[in-house]
Amino acid sequence: MAKFGEGDARWIVQERPDGANVHNWHWAERDCLEWSRARLSALLAGLPVLSGEGGLTLRTTTLDKLDGEAYVNIRKGKVIPGYELSLTLSWEAEATSESGVAKVTGAAEVPYLADENADEDPELRITVRGDDSPLARRAKDAFIARGKPLVLEKIREYVATMSKGGPAKDELDAKKIPTKAAAAATGGTATAPASAVKEVAAPAPAPAAKEKKAKGKEKEGFKIIEMTEKFNCRSKDMYEILMDENRWKGFTQSNTRISKEVGGQFSLFDGSITGVNEELQEGKLIVQKWRFGSWADGVHSTVRMVFDEPELGVTIIKLKQTDVPVEDRYGNSTVVENTERGWTELIFQRIRAVFGFGI
């Protein structure tokens, strides 16, 4: 054993004289609150919502408030964003009529925007300042219909930027390994010395082998969710609840549209989840194509719910959801966890509590 101070220098980690954190090997944290304020203001302020349609002009004005914290941690080049924010955005509307121009103002408030819910749209509250006039109600309805999707789209842009490093992204790009940068600049790959190539060279695989390998990777990045749930009711009762939009609205307290036909579409939780019915057997089976709006375009999972009634008044649902992506379009890797929690806490547990089917 080496004595203190006599260890092999090749294995001793020392501080660099220039203090550089090479490739962000050590933990580094960047405060992103002020950057977030500027970024969200640029994204949200001055957005045109309506430009005279129906005699109404509507737009956002300023980001009045942004409270909370936002930061990016970097370790070994890996980005770990963190933020818990609340924000208030002002909007204004003008209506032109024979009697002149009338104005009304309001606010759009996001009470909680956090990295833990990055794969879900945040709650957005729309309010009117002043009297509850016909114009105020009209402007509020118009903002909910046309302005809310626009604001949520811009918030998703912010979330996506934070997942890639926020203000630290350019710094991360600049610190990438030089050989990779050189390869990208030349449109090819970094090459090793000829002697090294000679030592490791191997016959190129046949086209058929390449095709087989590619097919074997088609399901990489996807997971399967399976769960079994018990309810104190008839199987037809559970089937009717899961296929009835009015009951969905009741136990989720959100906007819902559900077709009861094979090939019909559905929209749950204010449009956060959409899909198509593929197979329906009353009281026995529901098969649906099913996706979150935050998933990459074209990605759909398959939900299969089999209903069993082993004894009168007891229903067992076996749920299997295949092709659930590991990450959403913003790079967040909590999709599977959030989907499982959604089924358990936001659907099945609420059905038990609201309809009295057991806890």
Side-chain angles (χ1 to χ4, degrees), residues 49 58 124 126 138-149 255:
V49 178
L58 180 62
L124 183 60
I126 311 301
R138 181 184 170 199
K140 179 180 178 180
D141 290 343
F143 197 96
I144 292 173
R146 299 285 293 274
K148 183 176 178 179
N255 292 321

Side-chain angles (χ1 to χ4, degrees), residues 9-25:
R10 293 174 299 174
W11 303 100
I12 298 176
V13 179
Q14 298 180 353
E15 296 291 335
R16 287 171 56 101
D18 59 5
N21 184 6
V22 180
H23 302 315
N24 290 295
W25 180 263

Side-chain angles (χ1 to χ4, degrees), residues 124-327:
L124 183 60
R125 301 171 182 170
I126 311 301
T127 57
V128 175
R129 296 181 177 127
D131 296 335
D132 186 22
S133 63
L135 174 58
R137 291 192 294 272
R138 181 184 170 199
K140 179 180 178 180
D141 290 343
F143 197 96
I144 292 173
R146 299 285 293 274
K148 183 176 178 179
L150 187 60
V151 170
L152 291 176
E153 178 186 349
K154 297 300 182 181
I155 290 177
R156 286 194 290 268
E157 288 186 32
Y158 166 79
V159 170
T161 304
M162 281 292 287
S163 71
K164 295 175 182 177
K169 182 179 183 299
D170 293 339
E171 178 184 337
L172 286 169
D173 291 342
K175 291 185 177 182
K176 287 181 179 178
I177 300 174
T179 53
K180 290 185 179 179
T186 58
T189 56
T191 57
S195 58
V197 173
K198 183 176 181 181
E199 291 176 4
V200 301
K210 287 184 180 179
E211 183 179 353
K212 184 176 181 182
K213 185 177 181 181
K215 287 183 178 179
K217 289 187 176 181
E218 284 180 351
K219 295 303 179 182
E220 287 187 3
F222 294 87
K223 297 290 185 182
I224 296 174
I225 294 173
E226 293 184 272
M227 58 180 65
T228 301
E229 298 287 334
K230 179 181 177 182
F231 301 88
N232 296 331
C233 65
R234 301 296 302 272
S235 61
K236 65 181 182 65
D237 295 331
M238 274 301 301
Y239 178 92
E240 289 175 359
I241 288 172
L242 291 171
M243 294 302 299
D244 184 84
E245 63 181 45
N246 289 323
R247 298 187 193 184
W248 266 88
K249 290 176 183 178
F251 73 79
T252 66
Q253 294 297 296
S254 64
N255 292 321
T256 304
R257 296 196 317 273
I258 299 177
S259 168
K260 297 183 179 182
E261 304 296 328
V262 173
Q265 300 182 353
F266 61 87
S267 172
L268 313 174
F269 294 103
D270 296 319
S272 295
I273 297 170
T274 56
V276 177
N277 298 324
E278 291 202 319
E279 187 176 352
L280 299 173
Q281 297 179 28
E282 186 173 358
K284 295 180 179 180
L285 178 68
I286 296 175
V287 181
Q288 298 170 324
K289 283 294 184 185
W290 192 100
R291 62 172 271 116
F292 268 110
S294 58
W295 292 1
D297 293 339
V299 174
H300 290 80
S301 67
T302 299
V303 170
R304 183 181 182 88
M305 286 184 278
V306 178
F307 298 74
D308 183 31
E309 194 171 339
E311 58 182 278
L312 190 63
V314 176
T315 295
I316 304 295
I317 294 181
K318 292 184 178 180
L319 180 146
K320 184 174 184 179
Q321 185 170 2
T322 57
D323 297 334
V324 179
V326 173
E327 293 186 348

Side-chain angles (χ1 to χ4, degrees), residues 28-88:
E29 181 171 300
R30 173 73 66 86
D31 186 351
C32 301
L33 183 58
E34 292 308 314
W35 175 88
S36 296
R37 193 186 312 278
R39 180 62 178 159
L40 285 167
S41 181
L43 288 169
L44 297 172
L47 289 176
V49 178
L50 290 176
S51 301
E53 294 93 326
L56 187 66
T57 300
L58 180 62
R59 69 185 183 93
T60 64
T61 54
T62 58
L63 180 66
D64 294 338
K65 184 184 74 169
L66 181 71
D67 294 329
E69 62 175 356
Y71 56 86
V72 170
N73 288 322
I74 304 170
R75 174 72 167 94
K76 298 183 182 180
K78 182 178 180 181
V79 175
I80 308 171
Y83 50 91
E84 289 189 8
L85 302 169
S86 63
L87 63 91
T88 303

Side-chain angles (χ1 to χ4, degrees), residues 106-121:
E109 180 187 2
V110 177
Y112 188 66
L113 175 64
D115 59 282
E116 65 179 356
N117 299 323
D119 59 343
E120 303 173 7
D121 285 334

